[in-house]
């Protein structure tokens, strides 16, 4: 990257047009190609508008962050497992960023009762909460297991694609998002961007079941279909499961080379980023070609790769920190701090009560710099603003 910028700088000294051409080349991804062109006047106008809009957005969100206490800022970085009757107390005590609900949390609800529950919780918040539910479809769905919430269970992407193709995927995504938004959810925690073509692989049934090209199309279709729905897209499980084992029961060690990842695992994430993905969920797998010693979710090297090589600027979140195997690398109390220090913005956890004080202490002792904390809070609040939860 430094070499490319240096070349561009030298070119600028001789010719503005040469620099423009060089800039177009550097902005091209190593995984995808872009053929869109604009006139110079259109480009200038667009860039001016974007800069002005971004500056305005930055100003008021940054200003809001300066008014928040340390505890309020730390709490915003937690997407916590829904604690039932303790939800109101915990959300206020720990200033939580949001809740993720599972099947047991909605099994006794109907539409009216769930909407009322979420609305009542939101009404008591200083900063509105994210509400999330895993709704990949097929084997992973929460709300659609309850016929009082959704008439028919959400189908798997594979089943929809086989019957209706990409139009079916787009329509299903929009319909699912409408249901989620109506109930009060902002996260459906999909699409699955993992490439898996082996039916015996753990992740296979949750994927589109196609090769890397087909998975690219799937991810782009879902992300674009989620835009303007009020429901955020989440690409998972970075940097791709492949045909590996289940990290819910053990830490998976992925020995694929970086070249193999670039050819078969990373392209769908790049495609999703270019389509405007809101967030990316990082797995607990150890990716030896990136970091042979730590799970990806707590690896600064992996998060840096996602930021710098794939140029993702949105919210990065961990997979559930309660998954088996993490205790080999960090204690439960320190797990969230490890994740944030690695560069994550949002932590999925049930143990926020013991983890948040550890983070606050780390910031106070400058073990976790407050400037890094503020950057993560900014990304979280920015997404809340984009989803209509937070207003200037």
């Amino acid at each position: 990257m430094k070499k490319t910028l240096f070349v561009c700088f030298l070119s600028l000294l001789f010719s503005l047009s040469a620099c423009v051409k060089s800039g177009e080349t550097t902005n091209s991804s190593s995984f995808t190609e872009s053929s869109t062109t604009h006139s110079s006047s259109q480009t200038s106008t667009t860039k001016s508008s974007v800069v002005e809009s971004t500056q305005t957005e930055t100003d008021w969100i940054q200003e809001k962050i300066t008014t928040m206490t340390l505890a309020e800022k730390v709490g915003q970085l937690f997407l916590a497992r829904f604690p039932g009757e303790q939800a109101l107390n915990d959300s206020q005590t720990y200033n939580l960023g949001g809740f993720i609900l599972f099947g047991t949390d909605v099994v006794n609800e109907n539409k009216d009762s769930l909407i009322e529950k979420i609305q009542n919780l939101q009404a008591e918040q200083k900063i509105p909460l994210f509400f999330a539910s895993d709704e990949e479809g097929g084997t992973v769905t929460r709300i659609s297991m309850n016929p009082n919430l959704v008439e028919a269970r959400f189908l798997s992407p594979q089943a929809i694609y086989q019957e209706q193709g990409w139009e079916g995927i787009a329509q299903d995504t929009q319909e699912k998002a409408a249901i989620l938004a109506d109930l009060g959810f902002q996260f459906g925690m999909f699409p699955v961007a993992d490439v898996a073509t082996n039916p015996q692989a753990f992740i296979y049934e949750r994927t589109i079941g196609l090769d890397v090209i087909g998975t690219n199309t799937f991810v782009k279709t879902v992300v674009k279909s989620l835009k303007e729905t009020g429901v955020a897209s989440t690409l998972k499980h970075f940097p791709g499961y492949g045909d590996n084992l289940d990290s819910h029961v053990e830490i998976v060690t992925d020995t694929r080379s970086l070249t193999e990842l670039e050819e078969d695992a990373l392209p769908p994430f790049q495609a999703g980023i270019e389509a405007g993905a809101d967030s990316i969920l990082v797995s607990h797998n150890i990716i030896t070609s990136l970091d042979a010693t730590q799970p990806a979710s707590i690896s600064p090297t992996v998060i840096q790769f996602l930021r710098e090589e794939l140029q993702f600027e949105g919210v990065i979140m961990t997979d559930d920190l309660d998954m088996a195997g993490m205790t080999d690398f960090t204690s439960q109390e320190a797990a969230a701090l490890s994740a944030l220090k690695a560069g994550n913005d949002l932590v999925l956890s049930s143990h926020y009560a013991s983890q948040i004080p550890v983070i606050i202490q780390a910031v106070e002792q400058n073990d976790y710099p407050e400037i890094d904390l503020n950057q993560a809070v900014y990304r979280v609040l920015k997404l809340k603003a984009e989803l209509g939860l937070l207003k200037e």
Side-chain angles (χ1 to χ4, degrees), residues 246-293:
D246 182 0
S247 64
H248 291 78
V249 297
E250 62 181 326
I251 290 292
V252 171
T253 299
D254 189 331
T255 60
R256 287 177 291 177
S257 68
L258 182 56
T259 298
E260 289 176 306
L261 292 176
E262 290 176 340
E263 291 177 349
D264 197 52
L266 298 177
F269 291 96
Q270 185 70 59
I273 291 169
E274 293 180 355
D278 299 297
S279 63
I280 294 180
L281 182 147
V282 182
S283 77
H284 297 319
N285 297 354
I286 293 177
I287 316 300
T288 58
S289 59
L290 294 175
D291 186 337
T293 62

Side-chain angles (χ1 to χ4, degrees), residues 49-63 378 392:
S49 299
V50 169
V51 169
E52 183 178 350
S53 174
T54 302
Q55 186 63 47
T56 301
E57 184 178 69
T58 300
D59 287 346
W60 77 265
I61 294 179
Q62 294 287 16
E63 183 178 347
Y378 173 79
E392 184 175 1

